[in-house]
Amino acid sequence: MKQAVVLFLSVLLLSSCCTKSILEVGKTYIFPKGEKVTNKNFTGNVWLQMLAQDEQMSIGNVTFEPGARTKWHLHPGGQIILVTEGIGYYQEKGQLKKVLHKGDVIKCPPNVEHWHGASPSSHLVHLAISNNGKGAVMWLKPVTDTEYHKGD
Amino acid sequence: MKQAVVLFLSVLLLSSCCTKSILEVGKTYIFPKGEKVTNKNFTGNVWLQMLAQDEQMSIGNVTFEPGARTKWHLHPGGQIILVTEGIGYYQEKGQLKKVLHKGDVIKCPPNVEHWHGASPSSHLVHLAISNNGKGAVMWLKPVTDTEYHKGD
């Protein structure tokens, strides 16, 4: 009986430890999620936290809900995307859509029209590092559902 | 007896799951660790993976073993440090040492002498984002053990 109690308590302890780890997998956001974006440059729900910003460079932490994405847009100074969480898409005009995973680094060249966002079934979190010295982002048309799903 | 066996197997299963989670805490590196740094600008073992680099900006993923740190140095264009893993220190000349945790953002101003690295008992992983347009990093003296431990 004593052994059974010890075993039961062990199971309880290990179960609690294990459950915590499993639950934490889904919310290991490193940087703050920030505020929900309210402008019209995105489809779906997107959050932005600026981490650093001056006239030369900006670093934002961007979180996309499943299905959410940017409009087509371009950066006169280019942009680097560092994926820290989730699964998403990145596509340059005239190219096939790329699937993004945690750890991926995308170098978006200056003045190349593109979009990025979450996959339909997963959120996406990425850092967006922009060289602002050559001008601000130019927003273009929304990414249609047909464009978004093409190649799935 | 049957119950005891079931409990034993449960403990074994949960223990295996839990052990895996604990071990994985130490290796949830998002970006590649890269190559061991062999130059003399660091104390202890440090790894570097450049993620992006051009004449304007560089983004490196830096991993410090416990106790490892940079020399004192400065950046003519400043540097942003984004902590993604572990516990470390950051200190500007004449200021108290700050303790760094996952999610911390450090804005190191241009031409301010400073150092950063891991704490004595934890590794540190951070992204280092530098504006190279105003010149390269200038390396100075090593951080002595007395300087490193001051304020512990």
Side-chain angles (χ1 to χ4, degrees), chain A residues 11 17-18 21 30-31 51-52 56-57 59 80 82-83 102-103 105 107 127 129 131, chain B residues 11 14 17-18 21 30-31 51-52 56-57 59 80 82-83 103 105 107 127 129 131:
Chain A
V11 169
C17 156
C18 205
S21 303
I30 300 175
F31 303 105
L51 300 178
Q56 288 302 313
M57 193 181 0
I59 305 173
I80 309 289
L82 306 179
V83 180
K102 186 172 174 173
V105 176
K107 296 170 193 180
L127 296 166
I129 303 168
N131 174 358
Chain B
V11 170
L14 285 162
C17 157
C18 206
S21 303
I30 300 175
F31 302 105
L51 299 178
Q56 290 300 314
M57 192 181 2
I59 305 174
I80 309 289
L82 306 178
V83 180
V105 177
K107 295 168 194 182
L127 295 166
I129 302 167
N131 174 358

PDB file of all heavy atoms in Angstrom, chain A residues 11 17-18 21 30-31 51-52 56-57 59 80 82-83 102-103 105 107 127 129 131, chain B residues 11 14 17-18 21 30-31 51-52 56-57 59 80 82-83 103 105 107 127 129 131:
ATOM      1  N   VAL A  11       3.657   9.700  -9.968  1.00  0.00           N
ATOM      2  CA  VAL A  11       2.915   9.923 -11.216  1.00  0.00           C
ATOM      3  C   VAL A  11       2.362  11.342 -11.234  1.00  0.00           C
ATOM      4  O   VAL A  11       2.471  12.070 -12.228  1.00  0.00           O
ATOM      5  CB  VAL A  11       1.757   8.909 -11.368  1.00  0.00           C
ATOM      6  CG1 VAL A  11       0.840   9.315 -12.519  1.00  0.00           C
ATOM      7  CG2 VAL A  11       2.301   7.520 -11.625  1.00  0.00           C
ATOM      8  N   CYS A  17       4.715  18.049 -14.098  1.00  0.00           N
ATOM      9  CA  CYS A  17       5.900  18.561 -14.789  1.00  0.00           C
ATOM     10  C   CYS A  17       5.728  18.458 -16.296  1.00  0.00           C
ATOM     11  O   CYS A  17       5.974  19.382 -17.047  1.00  0.00           O
ATOM     12  CB  CYS A  17       7.131  17.764 -14.333  1.00  0.00           C
ATOM     13  SG  CYS A  17       8.494  17.736 -15.483  1.00  0.00           S
ATOM     14  N   CYS A  18       5.262  17.287 -16.725  1.00  0.00           N
ATOM     15  CA  CYS A  18       5.130  17.005 -18.148  1.00  0.00           C
ATOM     16  C   CYS A  18       4.060  17.884 -18.790  1.00  0.00           C
ATOM     17  O   CYS A  18       4.247  18.426 -19.871  1.00  0.00           O
ATOM     18  CB  CYS A  18       4.777  15.535 -18.315  1.00  0.00           C
ATOM     19  SG  CYS A  18       5.272  14.896 -19.894  1.00  0.00           S
ATOM     20  N   SER A  21       5.304  21.323 -19.465  1.00  0.00           N
ATOM     21  CA  SER A  21       6.180  21.414 -20.628  1.00  0.00           C
ATOM     22  C   SER A  21       5.385  21.396 -21.927  1.00  0.00           C
ATOM     23  O   SER A  21       5.651  22.165 -22.837  1.00  0.00           O
ATOM     24  CB  SER A  21       7.159  20.247 -20.638  1.00  0.00           C
ATOM     25  OG  SER A  21       7.887  20.239 -19.443  1.00  0.00           O
ATOM     26  N   ILE A  30       8.987  34.641 -27.533  1.00  0.00           N
ATOM     27  CA  ILE A  30      10.181  35.210 -26.887  1.00  0.00           C
ATOM     28  C   ILE A  30       9.975  36.688 -26.590  1.00  0.00           C
ATOM     29  O   ILE A  30      10.260  37.161 -25.508  1.00  0.00           O
ATOM     30  CB  ILE A  30      11.407  35.034 -27.804  1.00  0.00           C
ATOM     31  CG1 ILE A  30      11.636  33.556 -28.063  1.00  0.00           C
ATOM     32  CG2 ILE A  30      12.637  35.666 -27.172  1.00  0.00           C
ATOM     33  CD1 ILE A  30      12.741  33.279 -29.037  1.00  0.00           C
ATOM     34  N   PHE A  31       9.462  37.406 -27.586  1.00  0.00           N
ATOM     35  CA  PHE A  31       9.301  38.855 -27.457  1.00  0.00           C
ATOM     36  C   PHE A  31       7.812  39.184 -27.330  1.00  0.00           C
ATOM     37  O   PHE A  31       6.957  38.394 -27.739  1.00  0.00           O
ATOM     38  CB  PHE A  31       9.943  39.553 -28.663  1.00  0.00           C
ATOM     39  CG  PHE A  31      11.396  39.202 -28.809  1.00  0.00           C
ATOM     40  CD1 PHE A  31      11.826  38.322 -29.794  1.00  0.00           C
ATOM     41  CD2 PHE A  31      12.336  39.716 -27.931  1.00  0.00           C
ATOM     42  CE1 PHE A  31      13.163  37.954 -29.897  1.00  0.00           C
ATOM     43  CE2 PHE A  31      13.674  39.352 -28.032  1.00  0.00           C
ATOM     44  CZ  PHE A  31      14.086  38.475 -29.011  1.00  0.00           C
ATOM     45  N   LEU A  51      10.440  46.658 -31.447  1.00  0.00           N
ATOM     46  CA  LEU A  51      11.481  46.402 -30.450  1.00  0.00           C
ATOM     47  C   LEU A  51      12.551  47.489 -30.492  1.00  0.00           C
ATOM     48  O   LEU A  51      13.191  47.772 -29.480  1.00  0.00           O
ATOM     49  CB  LEU A  51      12.125  45.028 -30.686  1.00  0.00           C
ATOM     50  CG  LEU A  51      11.181  43.823 -30.617  1.00  0.00           C
ATOM     51  CD1 LEU A  51      11.935  42.538 -30.929  1.00  0.00           C
ATOM     52  CD2 LEU A  51      10.529  43.726 -29.244  1.00  0.00           C
ATOM     53  N   ALA A  52      12.761  48.070 -31.667  1.00  0.00           N
ATOM     54  CA  ALA A  52      13.748  49.155 -31.814  1.00  0.00           C
ATOM     55  C   ALA A  52      13.421  49.903 -33.094  1.00  0.00           C
ATOM     56  O   ALA A  52      12.956  49.304 -34.069  1.00  0.00           O
ATOM     57  CB  ALA A  52      15.160  48.579 -31.886  1.00  0.00           C
ATOM     58  N   GLN A  56      17.383  54.868 -39.287  1.00  0.00           N
ATOM     59  CA  GLN A  56      18.118  53.938 -40.129  1.00  0.00           C
ATOM     60  C   GLN A  56      17.490  52.536 -40.161  1.00  0.00           C
ATOM     61  O   GLN A  56      17.511  51.861 -41.180  1.00  0.00           O
ATOM     62  CB  GLN A  56      19.566  53.808 -39.617  1.00  0.00           C
ATOM     63  CG  GLN A  56      20.425  55.034 -39.869  1.00  0.00           C
ATOM     64  CD  GLN A  56      20.506  55.385 -41.354  1.00  0.00           C
ATOM     65  OE1 GLN A  56      20.740  54.523 -42.196  1.00  0.00           O
ATOM     66  NE2 GLN A  56      20.291  56.651 -41.684  1.00  0.00           N
ATOM     67  N   MET A  57      16.984  52.103 -39.017  1.00  0.00           N
ATOM     68  CA  MET A  57      16.606  50.699 -38.890  1.00  0.00           C
ATOM     69  C   MET A  57      15.374  50.544 -38.004  1.00  0.00           C
ATOM     70  O   MET A  57      15.190  51.309 -37.055  1.00  0.00           O
ATOM     71  CB  MET A  57      17.773  49.948 -38.230  1.00  0.00           C
ATOM     72  CG  MET A  57      17.614  48.455 -38.330  1.00  0.00           C
ATOM     73  SD  MET A  57      18.940  47.465 -37.556  1.00  0.00           S
ATOM     74  CE  MET A  57      20.090  48.561 -36.865  1.00  0.00           C
ATOM     75  N   ILE A  59      13.092  47.298 -35.974  1.00  0.00           N
ATOM     76  CA  ILE A  59      12.970  45.874 -35.662  1.00  0.00           C
ATOM     77  C   ILE A  59      11.606  45.668 -35.021  1.00  0.00           C
ATOM     78  O   ILE A  59      11.315  46.234 -33.964  1.00  0.00           O
ATOM     79  CB  ILE A  59      14.071  45.404 -34.694  1.00  0.00           C
ATOM     80  CG1 ILE A  59      15.457  45.752 -35.256  1.00  0.00           C
ATOM     81  CG2 ILE A  59      13.951  43.897 -34.432  1.00  0.00           C
ATOM     82  CD1 ILE A  59      16.592  45.463 -34.288  1.00  0.00           C
ATOM     83  N   ILE A  80      14.826  41.942 -43.646  1.00  0.00           N
ATOM     84  CA  ILE A  80      15.200  40.587 -43.232  1.00  0.00           C
ATOM     85  C   ILE A  80      14.093  40.055 -42.323  1.00  0.00           C
ATOM     86  O   ILE A  80      13.661  40.744 -41.383  1.00  0.00           O
ATOM     87  CB  ILE A  80      16.531  40.564 -42.440  1.00  0.00           C
ATOM     88  CG1 ILE A  80      17.642  41.317 -43.169  1.00  0.00           C
ATOM     89  CG2 ILE A  80      16.934  39.131 -42.119  1.00  0.00           C
ATOM     90  CD1 ILE A  80      18.174  40.660 -44.393  1.00  0.00           C
ATOM     91  N   LEU A  82      13.177  36.997 -39.730  1.00  0.00           N
ATOM     92  CA  LEU A  82      13.710  35.889 -38.925  1.00  0.00           C
ATOM     93  C   LEU A  82      12.537  35.191 -38.245  1.00  0.00           C
ATOM     94  O   LEU A  82      11.890  35.767 -37.361  1.00  0.00           O
ATOM     95  CB  LEU A  82      14.665  36.419 -37.844  1.00  0.00           C
ATOM     96  CG  LEU A  82      15.836  37.306 -38.285  1.00  0.00           C
ATOM     97  CD1 LEU A  82      16.652  37.746 -37.057  1.00  0.00           C
ATOM     98  CD2 LEU A  82      16.743  36.584 -39.263  1.00  0.00           C
ATOM     99  N   VAL A  83      12.267  33.962 -38.645  1.00  0.00           N
ATOM    100  CA  VAL A  83      11.099  33.240 -38.120  1.00  0.00           C
ATOM    101  C   VAL A  83      11.444  32.631 -36.759  1.00  0.00           C
ATOM    102  O   VAL A  83      12.389  31.847 -36.646  1.00  0.00           O
ATOM    103  CB  VAL A  83      10.642  32.137 -39.096  1.00  0.00           C
ATOM    104  CG1 VAL A  83       9.437  31.404 -38.535  1.00  0.00           C
ATOM    105  CG2 VAL A  83      10.325  32.731 -40.457  1.00  0.00           C
ATOM    106  N   LYS A 102      10.218  27.886 -38.113  1.00  0.00           N
ATOM    107  CA  LYS A 102      11.090  28.424 -37.058  1.00  0.00           C
ATOM    108  C   LYS A 102      12.561  28.292 -37.461  1.00  0.00           C
ATOM    109  O   LYS A 102      12.979  27.195 -37.872  1.00  0.00           O
ATOM    110  CB  LYS A 102      10.819  27.605 -35.779  1.00  0.00           C
ATOM    111  CG  LYS A 102      11.492  28.070 -34.540  1.00  0.00           C
ATOM    112  CD  LYS A 102      10.938  27.253 -33.374  1.00  0.00           C
ATOM    113  CE  LYS A 102      11.654  27.534 -32.088  1.00  0.00           C
ATOM    114  NZ  LYS A 102      11.018  26.877 -30.935  1.00  0.00           N
ATOM    115  N   GLY A 103      13.302  29.388 -37.372  1.00  0.00           N
ATOM    116  CA  GLY A 103      14.723  29.364 -37.711  1.00  0.00           C
ATOM    117  C   GLY A 103      15.021  29.811 -39.127  1.00  0.00           C
ATOM    118  O   GLY A 103      16.177  30.034 -39.476  1.00  0.00           O
ATOM    119  N   VAL A 105      15.464  32.213 -42.313  1.00  0.00           N
ATOM    120  CA  VAL A 105      15.890  33.598 -42.515  1.00  0.00           C
ATOM    121  C   VAL A 105      15.581  33.970 -43.960  1.00  0.00           C
ATOM    122  O   VAL A 105      16.039  33.297 -44.885  1.00  0.00           O
ATOM    123  CB  VAL A 105      17.408  33.754 -42.270  1.00  0.00           C
ATOM    124  CG1 VAL A 105      17.868  35.174 -42.577  1.00  0.00           C
ATOM    125  CG2 VAL A 105      17.753  33.385 -40.823  1.00  0.00           C
ATOM    126  N   LYS A 107      15.777  36.917 -46.849  1.00  0.00           N
ATOM    127  CA  LYS A 107      16.347  38.212 -47.227  1.00  0.00           C
ATOM    128  C   LYS A 107      15.522  38.764 -48.374  1.00  0.00           C
ATOM    129  O   LYS A 107      15.658  38.333 -49.522  1.00  0.00           O
ATOM    130  CB  LYS A 107      17.811  38.039 -47.632  1.00  0.00           C
ATOM    131  CG  LYS A 107      18.647  37.560 -46.463  1.00  0.00           C
ATOM    132  CD  LYS A 107      20.049  37.134 -46.864  1.00  0.00           C
ATOM    133  CE  LYS A 107      20.668  36.366 -45.692  1.00  0.00           C
ATOM    134  NZ  LYS A 107      22.021  35.880 -45.935  1.00  0.00           N
ATOM    135  N   LEU A 127      10.539  38.133 -36.591  1.00  0.00           N
ATOM    136  CA  LEU A 127      11.134  39.457 -36.466  1.00  0.00           C
ATOM    137  C   LEU A 127      11.252  40.028 -37.869  1.00  0.00           C
ATOM    138  O   LEU A 127      11.580  39.293 -38.818  1.00  0.00           O
ATOM    139  CB  LEU A 127      12.529  39.362 -35.827  1.00  0.00           C
ATOM    140  CG  LEU A 127      12.548  38.845 -34.384  1.00  0.00           C
ATOM    141  CD1 LEU A 127      13.964  38.462 -33.981  1.00  0.00           C
ATOM    142  CD2 LEU A 127      12.004  39.919 -33.446  1.00  0.00           C
ATOM    143  N   ILE A 129      13.227  43.019 -39.792  1.00  0.00           N
ATOM    144  CA  ILE A 129      14.311  43.989 -39.610  1.00  0.00           C
ATOM    145  C   ILE A 129      14.473  44.765 -40.914  1.00  0.00           C
ATOM    146  O   ILE A 129      14.827  44.199 -41.954  1.00  0.00           O
ATOM    147  CB  ILE A 129      15.618  43.265 -39.228  1.00  0.00           C
ATOM    148  CG1 ILE A 129      15.358  42.446 -37.948  1.00  0.00           C
ATOM    149  CG2 ILE A 129      16.755  44.262 -39.032  1.00  0.00           C
ATOM    150  CD1 ILE A 129      16.435  41.458 -37.611  1.00  0.00           C
ATOM    151  N   ASN A 131      15.783  48.158 -43.197  1.00  0.00           N
ATOM    152  CA  ASN A 131      16.675  49.294 -43.406  1.00  0.00           C
ATOM    153  C   ASN A 131      15.806  50.439 -43.921  1.00  0.00           C
ATOM    154  O   ASN A 131      15.349  50.419 -45.060  1.00  0.00           O
ATOM    155  CB  ASN A 131      17.736  48.882 -44.430  1.00  0.00           C
ATOM    156  CG  ASN A 131      18.632  50.030 -44.821  1.00  0.00           C
ATOM    157  OD1 ASN A 131      18.455  51.159 -44.362  1.00  0.00           O
ATOM    158  ND2 ASN A 131      19.600  49.742 -45.678  1.00  0.00           N
TER     159      ASN A 131
ATOM    160  N   VAL B  11       4.703   5.720 -14.509  1.00  0.00           N
ATOM    161  CA  VAL B  11       5.858   6.511 -14.057  1.00  0.00           C
ATOM    162  C   VAL B  11       6.942   6.484 -15.118  1.00  0.00           C
ATOM    163  O   VAL B  11       7.534   7.508 -15.470  1.00  0.00           O
ATOM    164  CB  VAL B  11       6.414   5.960 -12.710  1.00  0.00           C
ATOM    165  CG1 VAL B  11       7.750   6.618 -12.383  1.00  0.00           C
ATOM    166  CG2 VAL B  11       5.414   6.202 -11.593  1.00  0.00           C
ATOM    167  N   LEU B  14       5.868   8.665 -18.159  1.00  0.00           N
ATOM    168  CA  LEU B  14       5.884  10.096 -17.855  1.00  0.00           C
ATOM    169  C   LEU B  14       7.301  10.576 -17.582  1.00  0.00           C
ATOM    170  O   LEU B  14       7.687  11.678 -17.951  1.00  0.00           O
ATOM    171  CB  LEU B  14       4.986  10.386 -16.646  1.00  0.00           C
ATOM    172  CG  LEU B  14       3.497  10.333 -16.974  1.00  0.00           C
ATOM    173  CD1 LEU B  14       2.668  10.183 -15.706  1.00  0.00           C
ATOM    174  CD2 LEU B  14       3.085  11.592 -17.723  1.00  0.00           C
ATOM    175  N   CYS B  17       8.965  11.121 -20.861  1.00  0.00           N
ATOM    176  CA  CYS B  17       8.436  12.332 -21.486  1.00  0.00           C
ATOM    177  C   CYS B  17       9.031  13.578 -20.837  1.00  0.00           C
ATOM    178  O   CYS B  17       9.481  14.502 -21.477  1.00  0.00           O
ATOM    179  CB  CYS B  17       6.910  12.353 -21.347  1.00  0.00           C
ATOM    180  SG  CYS B  17       6.151  13.954 -21.444  1.00  0.00           S
ATOM    181  N   CYS B  18       9.053  13.544 -19.512  1.00  0.00           N
ATOM    182  CA  CYS B  18       9.511  14.689 -18.735  1.00  0.00           C
ATOM    183  C   CYS B  18      10.998  14.919 -18.941  1.00  0.00           C
ATOM    184  O   CYS B  18      11.456  16.038 -19.110  1.00  0.00           O
ATOM    185  CB  CYS B  18       9.220  14.432 -17.265  1.00  0.00           C
ATOM    186  SG  CYS B  18       9.038  15.923 -16.336  1.00  0.00           S
ATOM    187  N   SER B  21      11.610  16.631 -22.123  1.00  0.00           N
ATOM    188  CA  SER B  21      11.297  18.052 -22.090  1.00  0.00           C
ATOM    189  C   SER B  21      12.396  18.845 -21.401  1.00  0.00           C
ATOM    190  O   SER B  21      12.795  19.903 -21.858  1.00  0.00           O
ATOM    191  CB  SER B  21       9.984  18.277 -21.345  1.00  0.00           C
ATOM    192  OG  SER B  21       8.970  17.541 -21.963  1.00  0.00           O
ATOM    193  N   ILE B  30      16.903  28.555 -31.798  1.00  0.00           N
ATOM    194  CA  ILE B  30      16.065  28.819 -32.964  1.00  0.00           C
ATOM    195  C   ILE B  30      16.917  28.857 -34.222  1.00  0.00           C
ATOM    196  O   ILE B  30      16.592  28.266 -35.236  1.00  0.00           O
ATOM    197  CB  ILE B  30      15.339  30.160 -32.795  1.00  0.00           C
ATOM    198  CG1 ILE B  30      14.452  30.111 -31.557  1.00  0.00           C
ATOM    199  CG2 ILE B  30      14.518  30.475 -34.039  1.00  0.00           C
ATOM    200  CD1 ILE B  30      13.800  31.420 -31.237  1.00  0.00           C
ATOM    201  N   PHE B  31      18.039  29.587 -34.126  1.00  0.00           N
ATOM    202  CA  PHE B  31      18.898  29.765 -35.298  1.00  0.00           C
ATOM    203  C   PHE B  31      20.175  28.939 -35.113  1.00  0.00           C
ATOM    204  O   PHE B  31      20.541  28.597 -33.988  1.00  0.00           O
ATOM    205  CB  PHE B  31      19.205  31.258 -35.478  1.00  0.00           C
ATOM    206  CG  PHE B  31      17.951  32.076 -35.625  1.00  0.00           C
ATOM    207  CD1 PHE B  31      17.476  32.858 -34.590  1.00  0.00           C
ATOM    208  CD2 PHE B  31      17.202  32.006 -36.794  1.00  0.00           C
ATOM    209  CE1 PHE B  31      16.287  33.571 -34.712  1.00  0.00           C
ATOM    210  CE2 PHE B  31      16.014  32.707 -36.921  1.00  0.00           C
ATOM    211  CZ  PHE B  31      15.560  33.494 -35.873  1.00  0.00           C
ATOM    212  N   LEU B  51      23.641  35.599 -39.936  1.00  0.00           N
ATOM    213  CA  LEU B  51      22.358  35.307 -40.590  1.00  0.00           C
ATOM    214  C   LEU B  51      22.148  36.204 -41.807  1.00  0.00           C
ATOM    215  O   LEU B  51      21.463  35.828 -42.755  1.00  0.00           O
ATOM    216  CB  LEU B  51      21.203  35.496 -39.598  1.00  0.00           C
ATOM    217  CG  LEU B  51      21.241  34.594 -38.346  1.00  0.00           C
ATOM    218  CD1 LEU B  51      20.068  34.925 -37.419  1.00  0.00           C
ATOM    219  CD2 LEU B  51      21.205  33.118 -38.727  1.00  0.00           C
ATOM    220  N   ALA B  52      22.704  37.398 -41.759  1.00  0.00           N
ATOM    221  CA  ALA B  52      22.588  38.333 -42.886  1.00  0.00           C
ATOM    222  C   ALA B  52      23.690  39.368 -42.737  1.00  0.00           C
ATOM    223  O   ALA B  52      24.055  39.749 -41.616  1.00  0.00           O
ATOM    224  CB  ALA B  52      21.223  39.010 -42.882  1.00  0.00           C
ATOM    225  N   GLN B  56      25.492  47.770 -45.003  1.00  0.00           N
ATOM    226  CA  GLN B  56      24.705  48.593 -44.087  1.00  0.00           C
ATOM    227  C   GLN B  56      24.434  47.907 -42.747  1.00  0.00           C
ATOM    228  O   GLN B  56      24.404  48.548 -41.708  1.00  0.00           O
ATOM    229  CB  GLN B  56      23.347  48.951 -44.725  1.00  0.00           C
ATOM    230  CG  GLN B  56      23.451  49.926 -45.867  1.00  0.00           C
ATOM    231  CD  GLN B  56      24.072  51.251 -45.447  1.00  0.00           C
ATOM    232  OE1 GLN B  56      23.716  51.831 -44.436  1.00  0.00           O
ATOM    233  NE2 GLN B  56      25.047  51.721 -46.215  1.00  0.00           N
ATOM    234  N   MET B  57      24.186  46.604 -42.779  1.00  0.00           N
ATOM    235  CA  MET B  57      23.669  45.931 -41.595  1.00  0.00           C
ATOM    236  C   MET B  57      24.228  44.515 -41.486  1.00  0.00           C
ATOM    237  O   MET B  57      24.454  43.873 -42.505  1.00  0.00           O
ATOM    238  CB  MET B  57      22.134  45.857 -41.716  1.00  0.00           C
ATOM    239  CG  MET B  57      21.484  45.441 -40.429  1.00  0.00           C
ATOM    240  SD  MET B  57      19.676  45.304 -40.464  1.00  0.00           S
ATOM    241  CE  MET B  57      19.137  45.645 -42.090  1.00  0.00           C
ATOM    242  N   ILE B  59      23.509  40.833 -39.119  1.00  0.00           N
ATOM    243  CA  ILE B  59      22.727  40.144 -38.096  1.00  0.00           C
ATOM    244  C   ILE B  59      23.441  38.838 -37.781  1.00  0.00           C
ATOM    245  O   ILE B  59      23.598  37.981 -38.651  1.00  0.00           O
ATOM    246  CB  ILE B  59      21.295  39.840 -38.578  1.00  0.00           C
ATOM    247  CG1 ILE B  59      20.609  41.126 -39.055  1.00  0.00           C
ATOM    248  CG2 ILE B  59      20.485  39.177 -37.469  1.00  0.00           C
ATOM    249  CD1 ILE B  59      19.249  40.904 -39.691  1.00  0.00           C
ATOM    250  N   ILE B  80      21.908  46.481 -31.632  1.00  0.00           N
ATOM    251  CA  ILE B  80      20.741  45.992 -30.890  1.00  0.00           C
ATOM    252  C   ILE B  80      20.989  44.530 -30.540  1.00  0.00           C
ATOM    253  O   ILE B  80      21.377  43.732 -31.402  1.00  0.00           O
ATOM    254  CB  ILE B  80      19.440  46.082 -31.728  1.00  0.00           C
ATOM    255  CG1 ILE B  80      19.247  47.472 -32.337  1.00  0.00           C
ATOM    256  CG2 ILE B  80      18.235  45.671 -30.883  1.00  0.00           C
ATOM    257  CD1 ILE B  80      18.897  48.554 -31.390  1.00  0.00           C
ATOM    258  N   LEU B  82      19.149  41.171 -29.072  1.00  0.00           N
ATOM    259  CA  LEU B  82      17.855  40.531 -28.783  1.00  0.00           C
ATOM    260  C   LEU B  82      18.139  39.169 -28.147  1.00  0.00           C
ATOM    261  O   LEU B  82      18.656  38.266 -28.820  1.00  0.00           O
ATOM    262  CB  LEU B  82      17.043  40.327 -30.063  1.00  0.00           C
ATOM    263  CG  LEU B  82      16.781  41.544 -30.957  1.00  0.00           C
ATOM    264  CD1 LEU B  82      15.986  41.119 -32.204  1.00  0.00           C
ATOM    265  CD2 LEU B  82      16.024  42.625 -30.202  1.00  0.00           C
ATOM    266  N   VAL B  83      17.819  39.015 -26.873  1.00  0.00           N
ATOM    267  CA  VAL B  83      18.144  37.774 -26.153  1.00  0.00           C
ATOM    268  C   VAL B  83      17.081  36.720 -26.452  1.00  0.00           C
ATOM    269  O   VAL B  83      15.892  36.935 -26.213  1.00  0.00           O
ATOM    270  CB  VAL B  83      18.223  38.023 -24.633  1.00  0.00           C
ATOM    271  CG1 VAL B  83      18.555  36.718 -23.903  1.00  0.00           C
ATOM    272  CG2 VAL B  83      19.259  39.093 -24.318  1.00  0.00           C
ATOM    273  N   GLY B 103      14.100  37.368 -24.213  1.00  0.00           N
ATOM    274  CA  GLY B 103      13.115  38.405 -24.519  1.00  0.00           C
ATOM    275  C   GLY B 103      13.609  39.819 -24.263  1.00  0.00           C
ATOM    276  O   GLY B 103      12.957  40.782 -24.667  1.00  0.00           O
ATOM    277  N   VAL B 105      15.654  43.231 -24.766  1.00  0.00           N
ATOM    278  CA  VAL B 105      16.159  43.985 -25.916  1.00  0.00           C
ATOM    279  C   VAL B 105      17.102  45.062 -25.377  1.00  0.00           C
ATOM    280  O   VAL B 105      16.696  45.872 -24.553  1.00  0.00           O
ATOM    281  CB  VAL B 105      15.004  44.653 -26.687  1.00  0.00           C
ATOM    282  CG1 VAL B 105      15.536  45.506 -27.833  1.00  0.00           C
ATOM    283  CG2 VAL B 105      14.041  43.588 -27.218  1.00  0.00           C
ATOM    284  N   LYS B 107      19.552  48.246 -26.374  1.00  0.00           N
ATOM    285  CA  LYS B 107      19.951  49.189 -27.420  1.00  0.00           C
ATOM    286  C   LYS B 107      21.281  49.805 -27.005  1.00  0.00           C
ATOM    287  O   LYS B 107      21.335  50.671 -26.138  1.00  0.00           O
ATOM    288  CB  LYS B 107      18.878  50.267 -27.576  1.00  0.00           C
ATOM    289  CG  LYS B 107      17.568  49.672 -28.071  1.00  0.00           C
ATOM    290  CD  LYS B 107      16.406  50.626 -27.980  1.00  0.00           C
ATOM    291  CE  LYS B 107      15.105  49.836 -28.165  1.00  0.00           C
ATOM    292  NZ  LYS B 107      13.898  50.628 -28.142  1.00  0.00           N
ATOM    293  N   LEU B 127      20.700  37.527 -30.626  1.00  0.00           N
ATOM    294  CA  LEU B 127      20.924  38.100 -31.949  1.00  0.00           C
ATOM    295  C   LEU B 127      21.628  39.432 -31.748  1.00  0.00           C
ATOM    296  O   LEU B 127      21.301  40.175 -30.812  1.00  0.00           O
ATOM    297  CB  LEU B 127      19.584  38.323 -32.663  1.00  0.00           C
ATOM    298  CG  LEU B 127      18.793  37.056 -32.981  1.00  0.00           C
ATOM    299  CD1 LEU B 127      17.357  37.395 -33.369  1.00  0.00           C
ATOM    300  CD2 LEU B 127      19.471  36.275 -34.118  1.00  0.00           C
ATOM    301  N   ILE B 129      22.396  42.820 -33.860  1.00  0.00           N
ATOM    302  CA  ILE B 129      22.034  43.519 -35.097  1.00  0.00           C
ATOM    303  C   ILE B 129      22.783  44.848 -35.126  1.00  0.00           C
ATOM    304  O   ILE B 129      22.554  45.722 -34.284  1.00  0.00           O
ATOM    305  CB  ILE B 129      20.507  43.728 -35.158  1.00  0.00           C
ATOM    306  CG1 ILE B 129      19.825  42.357 -35.063  1.00  0.00           C
ATOM    307  CG2 ILE B 129      20.110  44.452 -36.439  1.00  0.00           C
ATOM    308  CD1 ILE B 129      18.342  42.412 -34.809  1.00  0.00           C
ATOM    309  N   ASN B 131      24.391  48.251 -37.156  1.00  0.00           N
ATOM    310  CA  ASN B 131      24.397  49.197 -38.261  1.00  0.00           C
ATOM    311  C   ASN B 131      25.857  49.445 -38.627  1.00  0.00           C
ATOM    312  O   ASN B 131      26.587  50.108 -37.891  1.00  0.00           O
ATOM    313  CB  ASN B 131      23.700  50.485 -37.799  1.00  0.00           C
ATOM    314  CG  ASN B 131      23.774  51.592 -38.823  1.00  0.00           C
ATOM    315  OD1 ASN B 131      24.387  51.431 -39.879  1.00  0.00           O
ATOM    316  ND2 ASN B 131      23.159  52.712 -38.517  1.00  0.00           N
TER     317      ASN B 131
END
